[in-house]
Amino acid sequence: SSWWKSVEPAPKDPILGVTEAFLADPSPEKVNVGVGAYRDDNGKPVVLECVREAEKRLAGSTFMEYLPMGGSAKMVDLTLKLAYGDNSEFIKDKRIAAVQTLSGTGACRLFADFQKRFSPGSQIYIPVPTWSNHHNIWKDAQVPQKTYHYYHPETKGLDFSALMDDVKNAPEGSFFLLHACAHNPTGVDPTEEQWREISQLFKAKKHFAFFDMAYQGFASGDPARDAKSIRIFLEDGHHIGISQSYAKNMGLYGQRVGCLSVLCEDPKQAVAVKSQLQQLARPMYSNPPLHGAQLVSTILEDPELKSLWLKEVKVMADRIIGMRTTLRESLEKLGSPLSWEHVTKQIGMFCYSGLTPEQVDRLTSEYHIYMTRNGRISMAGVTTGNVGYLANAIHEVTK
Ligand SMILES: Cc1ncc(COP(=O)(O)O)c(CN[C@@H](CCC(=O)O)C(=O)O)c1O
C-alpha cells in the first residue's frame, strides 16, 4: 500500500542480529558466543530446577486476572530485598517507589520516560562502551545522551581516572547510567574501593545514579556480593534508581520479568512516584505479565526454593569462570603472541576480547563463530566442547 512506501528496513540489531545470522548458518561447526544468554556445557539453554519446581506448584492455577499497573506487589517486594538488602531500612520505611516491568529493558525504558517527563531538561551520561540498547532506550525516550569514559583499551581494564574526570566535569546534578555488576560488554567492574570513590564524587556533585543490574549473581556467583556497588551508594545516602532483571540469573528470558525502583525522600514521595510510573505503564502495556512474576514469587518466598536458586546461580557463574580460565590457557598453549590475561580478569557473562571488527568478520566467515562486532564474547556460549575450536580460530585471526 502507498501508506508506508517511505518506510525503510530497520538496521540489523548489533546483538540480536547476530543470533539471526547464527540460526541461519547451516554449518555443523557453528558456535554462538553472541547473545548474552546462558548455555550449559552442552551448549543448551537451561531451565533452572527451582523454576521447574515453581512451575509444578503453579500448574493448574485458576488465577489469570490482570495484575495491577505496578505488577505483582509480592514479586516487587521480594525483588527489592535482593537489591536493597533483606533488612533494608528503605523498604521498612516505605521510601521505595517500585513497579514490575517488562524485564530489564522495560525497567530502563520506564525510567527513561519517567526522567523525560519529570526532569525534562536532564540528559543521561552513558558509559563507553555499554549495552547497545541503552542508546536506543534513552533516544526513544527523547533524553539527550552524553558519554563518560569507562573502558581502557590498552589495559583492557577500567579507565578510572578518565571516568572520574568525566564525573567531576559533568554539570552538578547530572544523571549517570551505571552497570551495578558484570559490565556489558567489557566484563570490567570498578573495585569496591573505586566504587566508594565514585560514590563520594557523586555525592559532592549531587549526581543521580541509575543502576542497571541485569546480571546480579553472574559476576561473583553471589547476588548479595554483586549488589555491593548499590549498597555503597545507599550507605552514602544517594537516592538512586535501579533496573533489575530475572532474564539471566533466573533464566526467565522470555518471561520478561523485571523491576524498576526509585528511592525517594519519604513514603509520600514514593507513593507519588509509583503512581506516575504506573501512569506511564498504563498507555504502554497497561500491566505486566503474570506468569513470570508468579514463578519469581514462588521461588523467592520459599526458603528451600530460594536456596536452590542461589546454588543454581552459582553453578552458572562458576561454569563461566571456569571457561574463562580454559579459554585463556588454550590461547596461551597455542603460542599466541598476545596477552589474554583479561579473559580471566574480566567478570560476568562477557569477555571483551579486543578482537577488531575485521577479525570478528573472519571468525564468522572462516570458522562460523558468531559474536558481536565489538569483539564481545558471551562466555556463556563457550563449552568444553567448543573452547578448543574457538581458541584456535581466535589464534589464527590474531597471530
Ligand atoms: C546491561 C543490560 N541491561 C539490560 C538488559 C536487558 O535484559 P532483559 O532481557 O530485558 O532483562 C541486558 C541484556 N543484554 C543481553 C541480552 C540480549 C539483549 O537484550 O541485547 C546481551 O547484551 O546480549 C543487558 O545486558
Side-chain angles (χ1 to χ4, degrees), residues 15 35-36 103-105 131 134 179 184 212 214-215 245 247-248 256 350 376:
I15 295 169
V35 69
S103 217
T105 305
W131 174 48
H134 280 147
H179 295 231
N184 175 7
D212 181 356
Y215 297 93
S245 164
K248 291 88 179 185
R256 313 309 294 139
F350 305 108
R376 181 191 86 170

mmCIF file with all atom_site columns, all heavy atoms in Angstrom, residues 15 35-36 103-105 131 134 179 184 212 214-215 245 247-248 256 350 376, ligand 1:
data_model
loop_
_atom_site.group_PDB
_atom_site.id
_atom_site.type_symbol
_atom_site.label_atom_id
_atom_site.label_alt_id
_atom_site.label_comp_id
_atom_site.label_asym_id
_atom_site.label_entity_id
_atom_site.label_seq_id
_atom_site.pdbx_PDB_ins_code
_atom_site.Cartn_x
_atom_site.Cartn_y
_atom_site.Cartn_z
_atom_site.occupancy
_atom_site.B_iso_or_equiv
_atom_site.pdbx_formal_charge
_atom_site.auth_seq_id
_atom_site.auth_comp_id
_atom_site.auth_asym_id
_atom_site.auth_atom_id
_atom_site.pdbx_PDB_model_num
ATOM   1   N N   . ILE A 1 15  ? 23.167 -6.964  18.394 1.00 0.00 ? 15  ILE A N   1
ATOM   2   C CA  . ILE A 1 15  ? 23.244 -8.180  19.210 1.00 0.00 ? 15  ILE A CA  1
ATOM   3   C C   . ILE A 1 15  ? 22.279 -9.239  18.683 1.00 0.00 ? 15  ILE A C   1
ATOM   4   O O   . ILE A 1 15  ? 22.663 -10.359 18.337 1.00 0.00 ? 15  ILE A O   1
ATOM   5   C CB  . ILE A 1 15  ? 22.934 -7.847  20.693 1.00 0.00 ? 15  ILE A CB  1
ATOM   6   C CG1 . ILE A 1 15  ? 24.011 -6.916  21.257 1.00 0.00 ? 15  ILE A CG1 1
ATOM   7   C CG2 . ILE A 1 15  ? 22.828 -9.132  21.528 1.00 0.00 ? 15  ILE A CG2 1
ATOM   8   C CD1 . ILE A 1 15  ? 23.680 -6.324  22.612 1.00 0.00 ? 15  ILE A CD1 1
ATOM   9   N N   . VAL A 1 35  ? 24.707 -13.586 21.715 1.00 0.00 ? 35  VAL A N   1
ATOM   10  C CA  . VAL A 1 35  ? 23.743 -13.082 22.699 1.00 0.00 ? 35  VAL A CA  1
ATOM   11  C C   . VAL A 1 35  ? 24.074 -13.535 24.117 1.00 0.00 ? 35  VAL A C   1
ATOM   12  O O   . VAL A 1 35  ? 24.577 -14.644 24.320 1.00 0.00 ? 35  VAL A O   1
ATOM   13  C CB  . VAL A 1 35  ? 22.314 -13.564 22.323 1.00 0.00 ? 35  VAL A CB  1
ATOM   14  C CG1 . VAL A 1 35  ? 22.159 -15.073 22.519 1.00 0.00 ? 35  VAL A CG1 1
ATOM   15  C CG2 . VAL A 1 35  ? 21.264 -12.828 23.132 1.00 0.00 ? 35  VAL A CG2 1
ATOM   16  N N   . GLY A 1 36  ? 23.842 -12.617 25.038 1.00 0.00 ? 36  GLY A N   1
ATOM   17  C CA  . GLY A 1 36  ? 24.124 -12.900 26.450 1.00 0.00 ? 36  GLY A CA  1
ATOM   18  C C   . GLY A 1 36  ? 23.028 -13.760 27.051 1.00 0.00 ? 36  GLY A C   1
ATOM   19  O O   . GLY A 1 36  ? 22.186 -13.261 27.795 1.00 0.00 ? 36  GLY A O   1
ATOM   20  N N   . SER A 1 103 ? 10.930 -6.972  32.149 1.00 0.00 ? 103 SER A N   1
ATOM   21  C CA  . SER A 1 103 ? 12.338 -7.322  32.311 1.00 0.00 ? 103 SER A CA  1
ATOM   22  C C   . SER A 1 103 ? 13.223 -6.086  32.454 1.00 0.00 ? 103 SER A C   1
ATOM   23  O O   . SER A 1 103 ? 12.703 -4.991  32.741 1.00 0.00 ? 103 SER A O   1
ATOM   24  C CB  . SER A 1 103 ? 12.786 -8.207  31.143 1.00 0.00 ? 103 SER A CB  1
ATOM   25  O OG  . SER A 1 103 ? 13.698 -9.179  31.621 1.00 0.00 ? 103 SER A OG  1
ATOM   26  N N   . GLY A 1 104 ? 14.508 -6.237  32.209 1.00 0.00 ? 104 GLY A N   1
ATOM   27  C CA  . GLY A 1 104 ? 15.428 -5.118  32.442 1.00 0.00 ? 104 GLY A CA  1
ATOM   28  C C   . GLY A 1 104 ? 15.251 -4.011  31.420 1.00 0.00 ? 104 GLY A C   1
ATOM   29  O O   . GLY A 1 104 ? 15.319 -2.825  31.741 1.00 0.00 ? 104 GLY A O   1
ATOM   30  N N   . THR A 1 105 ? 14.997 -4.436  30.170 1.00 0.00 ? 105 THR A N   1
ATOM   31  C CA  . THR A 1 105 ? 14.775 -3.437  29.120 1.00 0.00 ? 105 THR A CA  1
ATOM   32  C C   . THR A 1 105 ? 13.608 -2.531  29.496 1.00 0.00 ? 105 THR A C   1
ATOM   33  O O   . THR A 1 105 ? 13.685 -1.313  29.419 1.00 0.00 ? 105 THR A O   1
ATOM   34  C CB  . THR A 1 105 ? 14.470 -4.131  27.775 1.00 0.00 ? 105 THR A CB  1
ATOM   35  O OG1 . THR A 1 105 ? 15.528 -5.040  27.461 1.00 0.00 ? 105 THR A OG1 1
ATOM   36  C CG2 . THR A 1 105 ? 14.314 -3.120  26.654 1.00 0.00 ? 105 THR A CG2 1
ATOM   37  N N   . TRP A 1 131 ? 25.870 -1.562  26.847 1.00 0.00 ? 131 TRP A N   1
ATOM   38  C CA  . TRP A 1 131 ? 24.896 -2.418  26.142 1.00 0.00 ? 131 TRP A CA  1
ATOM   39  C C   . TRP A 1 131 ? 24.268 -1.560  25.044 1.00 0.00 ? 131 TRP A C   1
ATOM   40  O O   . TRP A 1 131 ? 23.740 -0.479  25.334 1.00 0.00 ? 131 TRP A O   1
ATOM   41  C CB  . TRP A 1 131 ? 23.858 -2.918  27.132 1.00 0.00 ? 131 TRP A CB  1
ATOM   42  C CG  . TRP A 1 131 ? 22.726 -3.689  26.536 1.00 0.00 ? 131 TRP A CG  1
ATOM   43  C CD1 . TRP A 1 131 ? 22.816 -4.713  25.624 1.00 0.00 ? 131 TRP A CD1 1
ATOM   44  C CD2 . TRP A 1 131 ? 21.338 -3.521  26.816 1.00 0.00 ? 131 TRP A CD2 1
ATOM   45  N NE1 . TRP A 1 131 ? 21.562 -5.184  25.335 1.00 0.00 ? 131 TRP A NE1 1
ATOM   46  C CE2 . TRP A 1 131 ? 20.630 -4.481  26.055 1.00 0.00 ? 131 TRP A CE2 1
ATOM   47  C CE3 . TRP A 1 131 ? 20.609 -2.665  27.644 1.00 0.00 ? 131 TRP A CE3 1
ATOM   48  C CZ2 . TRP A 1 131 ? 19.244 -4.604  26.096 1.00 0.00 ? 131 TRP A CZ2 1
ATOM   49  C CZ3 . TRP A 1 131 ? 19.231 -2.770  27.701 1.00 0.00 ? 131 TRP A CZ3 1
ATOM   50  C CH2 . TRP A 1 131 ? 18.572 -3.735  26.919 1.00 0.00 ? 131 TRP A CH2 1
ATOM   51  N N   . HIS A 1 134 ? 20.993 0.473   25.347 1.00 0.00 ? 134 HIS A N   1
ATOM   52  C CA  . HIS A 1 134 ? 20.861 1.657   26.223 1.00 0.00 ? 134 HIS A CA  1
ATOM   53  C C   . HIS A 1 134 ? 20.681 2.914   25.374 1.00 0.00 ? 134 HIS A C   1
ATOM   54  O O   . HIS A 1 134 ? 19.843 3.779   25.670 1.00 0.00 ? 134 HIS A O   1
ATOM   55  C CB  . HIS A 1 134 ? 22.110 1.827   27.099 1.00 0.00 ? 134 HIS A CB  1
ATOM   56  C CG  . HIS A 1 134 ? 22.137 0.934   28.298 1.00 0.00 ? 134 HIS A CG  1
ATOM   57  N ND1 . HIS A 1 134 ? 23.307 0.422   28.817 1.00 0.00 ? 134 HIS A ND1 1
ATOM   58  C CD2 . HIS A 1 134 ? 21.137 0.462   29.081 1.00 0.00 ? 134 HIS A CD2 1
ATOM   59  C CE1 . HIS A 1 134 ? 23.026 -0.326  29.884 1.00 0.00 ? 134 HIS A CE1 1
ATOM   60  N NE2 . HIS A 1 134 ? 21.727 -0.329  30.054 1.00 0.00 ? 134 HIS A NE2 1
ATOM   61  N N   . HIS A 1 179 ? 26.456 0.396   35.430 1.00 0.00 ? 179 HIS A N   1
ATOM   62  C CA  . HIS A 1 179 ? 26.186 -1.047  35.465 1.00 0.00 ? 179 HIS A CA  1
ATOM   63  C C   . HIS A 1 179 ? 26.537 -1.503  36.873 1.00 0.00 ? 179 HIS A C   1
ATOM   64  O O   . HIS A 1 179 ? 27.697 -1.375  37.286 1.00 0.00 ? 179 HIS A O   1
ATOM   65  C CB  . HIS A 1 179 ? 27.056 -1.794  34.453 1.00 0.00 ? 179 HIS A CB  1
ATOM   66  C CG  . HIS A 1 179 ? 26.767 -1.461  33.008 1.00 0.00 ? 179 HIS A CG  1
ATOM   67  N ND1 . HIS A 1 179 ? 26.545 -2.436  32.071 1.00 0.00 ? 179 HIS A ND1 1
ATOM   68  C CD2 . HIS A 1 179 ? 26.688 -0.281  32.347 1.00 0.00 ? 179 HIS A CD2 1
ATOM   69  C CE1 . HIS A 1 179 ? 26.346 -1.871  30.882 1.00 0.00 ? 179 HIS A CE1 1
ATOM   70  N NE2 . HIS A 1 179 ? 26.426 -0.558  31.025 1.00 0.00 ? 179 HIS A NE2 1
ATOM   71  N N   . ASN A 1 184 ? 28.429 -4.911  30.793 1.00 0.00 ? 184 ASN A N   1
ATOM   72  C CA  . ASN A 1 184 ? 28.227 -5.384  29.422 1.00 0.00 ? 184 ASN A CA  1
ATOM   73  C C   . ASN A 1 184 ? 28.613 -4.266  28.453 1.00 0.00 ? 184 ASN A C   1
ATOM   74  O O   . ASN A 1 184 ? 28.067 -3.175  28.552 1.00 0.00 ? 184 ASN A O   1
ATOM   75  C CB  . ASN A 1 184 ? 26.736 -5.732  29.225 1.00 0.00 ? 184 ASN A CB  1
ATOM   76  C CG  . ASN A 1 184 ? 26.416 -6.108  27.790 1.00 0.00 ? 184 ASN A CG  1
ATOM   77  O OD1 . ASN A 1 184 ? 27.312 -6.245  26.960 1.00 0.00 ? 184 ASN A OD1 1
ATOM   78  N ND2 . ASN A 1 184 ? 25.139 -6.243  27.489 1.00 0.00 ? 184 ASN A ND2 1
ATOM   79  N N   . ASP A 1 212 ? 21.789 -0.137  36.357 1.00 0.00 ? 212 ASP A N   1
ATOM   80  C CA  . ASP A 1 212 ? 21.185 -1.215  35.586 1.00 0.00 ? 212 ASP A CA  1
ATOM   81  C C   . ASP A 1 212 ? 21.814 -2.505  36.103 1.00 0.00 ? 212 ASP A C   1
ATOM   82  O O   . ASP A 1 212 ? 23.015 -2.730  35.920 1.00 0.00 ? 212 ASP A O   1
ATOM   83  C CB  . ASP A 1 212 ? 21.472 -1.008  34.089 1.00 0.00 ? 212 ASP A CB  1
ATOM   84  C CG  . ASP A 1 212 ? 20.818 -2.107  33.246 1.00 0.00 ? 212 ASP A CG  1
ATOM   85  O OD1 . ASP A 1 212 ? 20.225 -3.034  33.836 1.00 0.00 ? 212 ASP A OD1 1
ATOM   86  O OD2 . ASP A 1 212 ? 20.900 -2.036  32.012 1.00 0.00 ? 212 ASP A OD2 1
ATOM   87  N N   . ALA A 1 214 ? 21.463 -6.125  35.541 1.00 0.00 ? 214 ALA A N   1
ATOM   88  C CA  . ALA A 1 214 ? 20.875 -7.183  34.705 1.00 0.00 ? 214 ALA A CA  1
ATOM   89  C C   . ALA A 1 214 ? 21.521 -8.538  34.974 1.00 0.00 ? 214 ALA A C   1
ATOM   90  O O   . ALA A 1 214 ? 21.038 -9.546  34.450 1.00 0.00 ? 214 ALA A O   1
ATOM   91  C CB  . ALA A 1 214 ? 21.045 -6.813  33.235 1.00 0.00 ? 214 ALA A CB  1
ATOM   92  N N   . TYR A 1 215 ? 22.596 -8.555  35.750 1.00 0.00 ? 215 TYR A N   1
ATOM   93  C CA  . TYR A 1 215 ? 23.366 -9.795  35.915 1.00 0.00 ? 215 TYR A CA  1
ATOM   94  C C   . TYR A 1 215 ? 23.670 -10.105 37.374 1.00 0.00 ? 215 TYR A C   1
ATOM   95  O O   . TYR A 1 215 ? 24.697 -10.695 37.682 1.00 0.00 ? 215 TYR A O   1
ATOM   96  C CB  . TYR A 1 215 ? 24.689 -9.707  35.126 1.00 0.00 ? 215 TYR A CB  1
ATOM   97  C CG  . TYR A 1 215 ? 24.481 -9.567  33.647 1.00 0.00 ? 215 TYR A CG  1
ATOM   98  C CD1 . TYR A 1 215 ? 24.431 -8.306  33.056 1.00 0.00 ? 215 TYR A CD1 1
ATOM   99  C CD2 . TYR A 1 215 ? 24.270 -10.677 32.840 1.00 0.00 ? 215 TYR A CD2 1
ATOM   100 C CE1 . TYR A 1 215 ? 24.196 -8.168  31.701 1.00 0.00 ? 215 TYR A CE1 1
ATOM   101 C CE2 . TYR A 1 215 ? 24.035 -10.545 31.487 1.00 0.00 ? 215 TYR A CE2 1
ATOM   102 C CZ  . TYR A 1 215 ? 23.993 -9.283  30.920 1.00 0.00 ? 215 TYR A CZ  1
ATOM   103 O OH  . TYR A 1 215 ? 23.735 -9.150  29.577 1.00 0.00 ? 215 TYR A OH  1
ATOM   104 N N   . SER A 1 245 ? 16.498 -7.446  36.649 1.00 0.00 ? 245 SER A N   1
ATOM   105 C CA  . SER A 1 245 ? 16.020 -8.407  35.646 1.00 0.00 ? 245 SER A CA  1
ATOM   106 C C   . SER A 1 245 ? 16.231 -9.831  36.143 1.00 0.00 ? 245 SER A C   1
ATOM   107 O O   . SER A 1 245 ? 17.239 -10.113 36.793 1.00 0.00 ? 245 SER A O   1
ATOM   108 C CB  . SER A 1 245 ? 16.802 -8.214  34.340 1.00 0.00 ? 245 SER A CB  1
ATOM   109 O OG  . SER A 1 245 ? 16.628 -9.339  33.497 1.00 0.00 ? 245 SER A OG  1
ATOM   110 N N   . ALA A 1 247 ? 16.032 -12.216 33.743 1.00 0.00 ? 247 ALA A N   1
ATOM   111 C CA  . ALA A 1 247 ? 16.279 -12.915 32.471 1.00 0.00 ? 247 ALA A CA  1
ATOM   112 C C   . ALA A 1 247 ? 17.436 -13.895 32.628 1.00 0.00 ? 247 ALA A C   1
ATOM   113 O O   . ALA A 1 247 ? 17.319 -15.088 32.325 1.00 0.00 ? 247 ALA A O   1
ATOM   114 C CB  . ALA A 1 247 ? 16.567 -11.909 31.367 1.00 0.00 ? 247 ALA A CB  1
ATOM   115 N N   . LYS A 1 248 ? 18.583 -13.401 33.115 1.00 0.00 ? 248 LYS A N   1
ATOM   116 C CA  . LYS A 1 248 ? 19.779 -14.243 33.134 1.00 0.00 ? 248 LYS A CA  1
ATOM   117 C C   . LYS A 1 248 ? 19.904 -15.019 34.429 1.00 0.00 ? 248 LYS A C   1
ATOM   118 O O   . LYS A 1 248 ? 20.115 -16.228 34.409 1.00 0.00 ? 248 LYS A O   1
ATOM   119 C CB  . LYS A 1 248 ? 21.049 -13.406 32.928 1.00 0.00 ? 248 LYS A CB  1
ATOM   120 C CG  . LYS A 1 248 ? 21.160 -12.840 31.538 1.00 0.00 ? 248 LYS A CG  1
ATOM   121 C CD  . LYS A 1 248 ? 20.468 -11.520 31.482 1.00 0.00 ? 248 LYS A CD  1
ATOM   122 C CE  . LYS A 1 248 ? 20.552 -10.858 30.123 1.00 0.00 ? 248 LYS A CE  1
ATOM   123 N NZ  . LYS A 1 248 ? 19.956 -9.517  30.171 1.00 0.00 ? 248 LYS A NZ  1
ATOM   124 N N   . ARG A 1 256 ? 10.050 -12.215 30.555 1.00 0.00 ? 256 ARG A N   1
ATOM   125 C CA  . ARG A 1 256 ? 10.098 -10.755 30.654 1.00 0.00 ? 256 ARG A CA  1
ATOM   126 C C   . ARG A 1 256 ? 9.732  -10.269 32.062 1.00 0.00 ? 256 ARG A C   1
ATOM   127 O O   . ARG A 1 256 ? 8.733  -9.557  32.253 1.00 0.00 ? 256 ARG A O   1
ATOM   128 C CB  . ARG A 1 256 ? 9.198  -10.088 29.607 1.00 0.00 ? 256 ARG A CB  1
ATOM   129 C CG  . ARG A 1 256 ? 9.328  -10.631 28.205 1.00 0.00 ? 256 ARG A CG  1
ATOM   130 C CD  . ARG A 1 256 ? 10.737 -10.702 27.675 1.00 0.00 ? 256 ARG A CD  1
ATOM   131 N NE  . ARG A 1 256 ? 11.363 -9.394  27.492 1.00 0.00 ? 256 ARG A NE  1
ATOM   132 C CZ  . ARG A 1 256 ? 12.637 -9.128  27.798 1.00 0.00 ? 256 ARG A CZ  1
ATOM   133 N NH1 . ARG A 1 256 ? 13.428 -10.070 28.330 1.00 0.00 ? 256 ARG A NH1 1
ATOM   134 N NH2 . ARG A 1 256 ? 13.117 -7.920  27.595 1.00 0.00 ? 256 ARG A NH2 1
ATOM   135 N N   . PHE A 1 350 ? 30.388 -11.661 29.994 1.00 0.00 ? 350 PHE A N   1
ATOM   136 C CA  . PHE A 1 350 ? 31.083 -11.273 28.769 1.00 0.00 ? 350 PHE A CA  1
ATOM   137 C C   . PHE A 1 350 ? 32.595 -11.088 28.919 1.00 0.00 ? 350 PHE A C   1
ATOM   138 O O   . PHE A 1 350 ? 33.080 -10.640 29.960 1.00 0.00 ? 350 PHE A O   1
ATOM   139 C CB  . PHE A 1 350 ? 30.481 -9.971  28.210 1.00 0.00 ? 350 PHE A CB  1
ATOM   140 C CG  . PHE A 1 350 ? 29.003 -10.070 27.989 1.00 0.00 ? 350 PHE A CG  1
ATOM   141 C CD1 . PHE A 1 350 ? 28.117 -9.392  28.816 1.00 0.00 ? 350 PHE A CD1 1
ATOM   142 C CD2 . PHE A 1 350 ? 28.484 -10.887 27.002 1.00 0.00 ? 350 PHE A CD2 1
ATOM   143 C CE1 . PHE A 1 350 ? 26.752 -9.516  28.641 1.00 0.00 ? 350 PHE A CE1 1
ATOM   144 C CE2 . PHE A 1 350 ? 27.119 -11.010 26.814 1.00 0.00 ? 350 PHE A CE2 1
ATOM   145 C CZ  . PHE A 1 350 ? 26.254 -10.327 27.634 1.00 0.00 ? 350 PHE A CZ  1
ATOM   146 N N   . ARG A 1 376 ? 32.976 -8.708  21.585 1.00 0.00 ? 376 ARG A N   1
ATOM   147 C CA  . ARG A 1 376 ? 32.448 -9.264  22.836 1.00 0.00 ? 376 ARG A CA  1
ATOM   148 C C   . ARG A 1 376 ? 32.161 -10.742 22.680 1.00 0.00 ? 376 ARG A C   1
ATOM   149 O O   . ARG A 1 376 ? 31.511 -11.167 21.732 1.00 0.00 ? 376 ARG A O   1
ATOM   150 C CB  . ARG A 1 376 ? 31.164 -8.516  23.213 1.00 0.00 ? 376 ARG A CB  1
ATOM   151 C CG  . ARG A 1 376 ? 30.549 -8.995  24.507 1.00 0.00 ? 376 ARG A CG  1
ATOM   152 C CD  . ARG A 1 376 ? 29.167 -8.432  24.724 1.00 0.00 ? 376 ARG A CD  1
ATOM   153 N NE  . ARG A 1 376 ? 28.140 -9.257  24.062 1.00 0.00 ? 376 ARG A NE  1
ATOM   154 C CZ  . ARG A 1 376 ? 26.842 -9.077  24.264 1.00 0.00 ? 376 ARG A CZ  1
ATOM   155 N NH1 . ARG A 1 376 ? 26.417 -8.078  25.030 1.00 0.00 ? 376 ARG A NH1 1
ATOM   156 N NH2 . ARG A 1 376 ? 25.948 -9.869  23.660 1.00 0.00 ? 376 ARG A NH2 1
HETATM 157 C C1  . LIG B 2 .   ? 23.175 -4.306  30.709 1.00 0.00 ? 1   LIG B C1  1
HETATM 158 C C2  . LIG B 2 .   ? 21.876 -4.896  30.270 1.00 0.00 ? 1   LIG B C2  1
HETATM 159 N N1  . LIG B 2 .   ? 20.724 -4.311  30.695 1.00 0.00 ? 1   LIG B N1  1
HETATM 160 C C3  . LIG B 2 .   ? 19.535 -4.810  30.328 1.00 0.00 ? 1   LIG B C3  1
HETATM 161 C C4  . LIG B 2 .   ? 19.444 -5.932  29.522 1.00 0.00 ? 1   LIG B C4  1
HETATM 162 C C5  . LIG B 2 .   ? 18.060 -6.365  29.157 1.00 0.00 ? 1   LIG B C5  1
HETATM 163 O O1  . LIG B 2 .   ? 17.767 -7.625  29.524 1.00 0.00 ? 1   LIG B O1  1
HETATM 164 P P1  . LIG B 2 .   ? 16.244 -8.100  29.674 1.00 0.00 ? 1   LIG B P1  1
HETATM 165 O O2  . LIG B 2 .   ? 16.144 -9.379  28.917 1.00 0.00 ? 1   LIG B O2  1
HETATM 166 O O3  . LIG B 2 .   ? 15.366 -7.018  29.097 1.00 0.00 ? 1   LIG B O3  1
HETATM 167 O O4  . LIG B 2 .   ? 16.034 -8.246  31.135 1.00 0.00 ? 1   LIG B O4  1
HETATM 168 C C6  . LIG B 2 .   ? 20.609 -6.567  29.042 1.00 0.00 ? 1   LIG B C6  1
HETATM 169 C C7  . LIG B 2 .   ? 20.524 -7.793  28.143 1.00 0.00 ? 1   LIG B C7  1
HETATM 170 N N2  . LIG B 2 .   ? 21.535 -7.897  27.166 1.00 0.00 ? 1   LIG B N2  1
HETATM 171 C C8  . LIG B 2 .   ? 21.888 -9.184  26.645 1.00 0.00 ? 1   LIG B C8  1
HETATM 172 C C9  . LIG B 2 .   ? 20.687 -9.955  26.085 1.00 0.00 ? 1   LIG B C9  1
HETATM 173 C C10 . LIG B 2 .   ? 20.221 -9.665  24.686 1.00 0.00 ? 1   LIG B C10 1
HETATM 174 C C11 . LIG B 2 .   ? 19.778 -8.224  24.546 1.00 0.00 ? 1   LIG B C11 1
HETATM 175 O O5  . LIG B 2 .   ? 18.673 -7.867  25.003 1.00 0.00 ? 1   LIG B O5  1
HETATM 176 O O6  . LIG B 2 .   ? 20.586 -7.424  23.991 1.00 0.00 ? 1   LIG B O6  1
HETATM 177 C C12 . LIG B 2 .   ? 23.032 -9.017  25.651 1.00 0.00 ? 1   LIG B C12 1
HETATM 178 O O7  . LIG B 2 .   ? 23.685 -7.949  25.696 1.00 0.00 ? 1   LIG B O7  1
HETATM 179 O O8  . LIG B 2 .   ? 23.330 -9.966  24.927 1.00 0.00 ? 1   LIG B O8  1
HETATM 180 C C13 . LIG B 2 .   ? 21.846 -6.050  29.440 1.00 0.00 ? 1   LIG B C13 1
HETATM 181 O O9  . LIG B 2 .   ? 22.991 -6.619  29.013 1.00 0.00 ? 1   LIG B O9  1
#
